[in-house]
């Protein structure tokens, strides 16, 4: 037996030395012929099929001047996997999905249920759970084909949008991993919405609220104006801005530098009756106009009260939706963490309590001015 093994090793070594590559070893690929897919778009197609559109990143010339348009390919099939495999044979080079960073889901595919999309991303060895996921009420193919140009691809537009979401307080960027984590918790999860907007005869990509899913089916979406309320209650978003119209004193440009929401429950025996969102917000005054330029204690106090009133109103609107639609804020999970001794009771009775709960919102705001030019001294902490 040892002699047979020795002979096989000799044959394999001789084969390699003579320049012949064994067929069972991975075949090398010329890197210049490899097409790296960056964006995957999924739409519905007739007869229960799917349409997959893929896009590479923008291609730079070797000289560094100008560039080539991203490679865009599309295919219909019965499964996403089959469509991706057929696309792989159509490119000018070898198409690989190991660098996909965004997935866009069209409305038709979302209404049919996104379980097949999530299943493909989880199972395929080339796909990543850290892929950003987006929803659009248009077709996902349009987002890929119209948002790019010679110098910029759909992947760049989507990455920019993901970074702008927390800045504009419209929502937050969501990965497949994060979406699945919320979905597995109680069946509710959200992802950002994007759409095309015409500007100077050119399409640009903008965010448009958050889409709400229950058990992989589309249930609706939150418009951008409710995005900040959702972010506050879920402790999402970071370093966003807000133009505060105080009516009496003028308009203030605020930079929200810190936010925290903590929930407190009121019990009557073993019955949950009230739930209070205690929101604390810190902000820097970045710009002031009108009477706000006279920054005395009274003006600052009125500004803080106006900000607290604005944020409280937005949070209340979201809580009304929470009670009508379902636990998309994952309050059951939050309460079970805060009250571990009552976790079993919360698990058992949450559905019953949620419809009759009385919600309260308490918002405290602190606005600081980092520097007062008229005084020449630093202000605030």
């Amino acid at each position: 037996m040892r002699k047979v093994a020795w002979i096989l090793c000799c044959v394999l070594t001789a084969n390699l030395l003579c320049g012949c590559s064994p067929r069972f070893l991975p075949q090398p690929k010329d890197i210049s012929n490899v097409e790296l897919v960056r964006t995957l778009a999924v739409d519905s197609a007739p007869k229960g099929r799917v349409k997959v559109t893929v896009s590479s990143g923008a291609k730079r010339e070797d000289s560094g001047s100008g560039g080539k348009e991203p490679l865009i390919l599309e295919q219909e099939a019965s499964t996403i996997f089959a469509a991706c495999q057929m696309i792989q044979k159509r490119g000018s080079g070898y198409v690989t999905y190991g660098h996909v960073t965004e997935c866009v889901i069209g409305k038709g595919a979302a209404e049919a249920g996104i379980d097949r999309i999530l299943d493909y991303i989880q199972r395929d060895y080339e796909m990543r759970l850290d892929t950003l996921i987006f929803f659009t009420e248009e077709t996902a193919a349009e987002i890929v084909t119209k948002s790019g140009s010679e110098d910029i691809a759909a992947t760049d537009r989507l990455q920019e949008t993901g970074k702008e979401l927390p800045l504009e307080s419209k929502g937050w960027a969501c990965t497949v991993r994060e979406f699945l984590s919320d979905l597995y918790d109680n069946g509710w999860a959200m992802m950002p919405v994007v759409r095309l907007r015409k500007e100077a005869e050119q399409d640009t990509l903008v965010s448009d609220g958050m889409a709400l899913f229950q058990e992989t089916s589309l249930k609706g979406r939150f418009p951008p104006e409710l995005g900040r309320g959702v972010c506050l209650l879920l402790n999402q978003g970071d370093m966003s801005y807000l133009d505060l119209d105080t009516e009496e004193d003028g308009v203030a440009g605020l930079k929200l530098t810190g936010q925290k929401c903590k929930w407190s429950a009121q019990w009557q025996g073993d019955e949950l009756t009230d739930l209070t969102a205690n929101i604390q917000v810190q902000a820097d005054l970045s710009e002031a106009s009108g009477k706000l330029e006279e920054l005395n204690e009274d003006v600052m106090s009125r500004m803080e009260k106006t900000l607290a009133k604005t944020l409280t109103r937005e949070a209340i609107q979201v809580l009304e939706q929470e009670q009508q639609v379902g636990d998309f804020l994952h309050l059951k999970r939050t309460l079970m963490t805060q009250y571990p001794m009552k976790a079993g009771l919360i698990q058992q009775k949450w559905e019953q309590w949620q419809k009759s709960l009385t919600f309260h919102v308490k918002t405290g705001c602190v606005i600081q001015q980092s520097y007062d030019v008229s005084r020449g001294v630093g202000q605030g902490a």
Side-chain angles (χ1 to χ4, degrees), residues 23 32 51 58 72 74 79 102 165 204 221 263 268 279 282 289 295 306 324 344 361:
R23 297 180 63 85
S32 62
K51 176 183 176 183
I72 298 176
E74 61 182 36
T79 65
E102 303 87 29
L165 278 167
T204 185
R221 72 178 185 90
W263 296 88
Q268 289 185 1
I279 301 173
Q282 292 181 329
S289 63
L295 292 175
T306 302
Q324 294 173 12
V361 178

Side-chain angles (χ1 to χ4, degrees), residues 69-290:
E69 290 188 0
L71 174 70
I72 298 176
L73 299 170
E74 61 182 36
Q75 182 68 50
E76 286 188 17
S78 297
T79 65
I80 300 171
F81 173 74
C84 289
Q85 290 298 300
M86 285 188 277
I87 286 173
Q88 209 164 38
K89 310 300 181 184
R90 293 177 50 203
S92 57
Y94 178 78
V95 176
T96 177
Y97 300 97
H99 292 262
V100 172
T101 51
E102 303 87 29
C103 176
V104 185
I105 301 173
K107 185 177 181 180
E111 290 177 338
I114 61 172
D115 49 322
R116 64 197 304 180
I117 303 172
L118 298 174
D119 188 66
Y120 169 70
I121 294 175
Q122 290 179 87
R123 292 180 185 274
D124 191 88
Y125 72 94
E126 285 191 287
M127 299 298 292
R128 311 179 191 179
L129 289 179
D130 291 330
T131 300
L132 292 176
I133 190 167
F134 297 88
F135 167 76
T136 180
E137 292 193 326
E138 304 164 24
T139 63
E142 283 184 301
I143 298 296
V144 170
T145 56
K146 294 184 178 181
S147 63
S149 63
E150 287 189 2
D151 299 323
I152 191 168
T155 179
D156 303 303
R157 299 289 191 193
L158 290 166
Q159 289 285 336
E160 290 173 2
T161 302
K163 293 176 181 177
E164 291 171 357
L165 278 167
L167 178 64
E168 298 177 344
S169 298
K170 293 180 179 178
W172 60 92
C174 178
T175 66
V176 174
R177 187 191 310 276
E178 293 165 338
F179 187 87
L180 286 170
S181 177
D182 283 344
L183 207 61
Y184 291 155
D185 174 55
N186 69 350
W188 291 95
M190 287 182 276
M191 68 176 70
V193 181
V194 292
R195 64 177 175 87
L196 293 170
R197 183 173 65 194
K198 204 78 172 177
E199 290 184 358
E201 299 184 358
Q202 185 176 0
D203 290 302
T204 185
L205 196 65
V206 295
S207 59
D208 196 25
M210 298 291 289
L212 184 62
F213 288 80
Q214 183 186 26
E215 301 295 349
T216 71
S217 295
L218 179 66
K219 290 298 179 182
R221 72 178 185 90
F222 287 108
E225 54 267 24
L226 289 184
R228 185 166 46 239
V230 177
C231 289
L232 283 172
L233 295 171
L234 285 174
N235 288 310
Q236 292 279 4
D238 185 32
M239 304 296 286
S240 58
Y241 66 84
L242 168 66
D243 291 332
L244 183 68
D245 189 352
T246 62
E247 296 183 359
E248 180 181 350
D249 297 313
V251 179
L254 301 178
K255 183 178 183 180
L256 305 183
T257 57
Q259 60 186 51
K260 184 177 181 181
C261 177
K262 187 173 181 180
W263 296 88
S264 58
Q266 183 176 336
W267 304 83
Q268 289 185 1
D270 287 337
E271 294 295 318
L272 178 63
T273 59
D274 296 75
L275 199 55
T276 302
N278 300 289
I279 301 173
Q280 295 295 323
V281 174
Q282 292 181 329
D284 284 343
L285 179 61
S286 300
E287 182 180 343
S289 63

Side-chain angles (χ1 to χ4, degrees), residues 266-273 332 335-336 339-354:
Q266 183 176 336
W267 304 83
Q268 289 185 1
D270 287 337
E271 294 295 318
L272 178 63
T273 59
K332 182 175 74 171
L335 291 177
M336 289 176 67
Y339 301 94
M341 300 299 292
K342 294 181 179 288
L345 191 63
I346 296 171
Q347 178 71 36
Q348 180 183 354
K349 293 190 174 183
W350 174 253
E351 301 294 334
Q352 171 188 335
W353 289 339
Q354 186 190 14

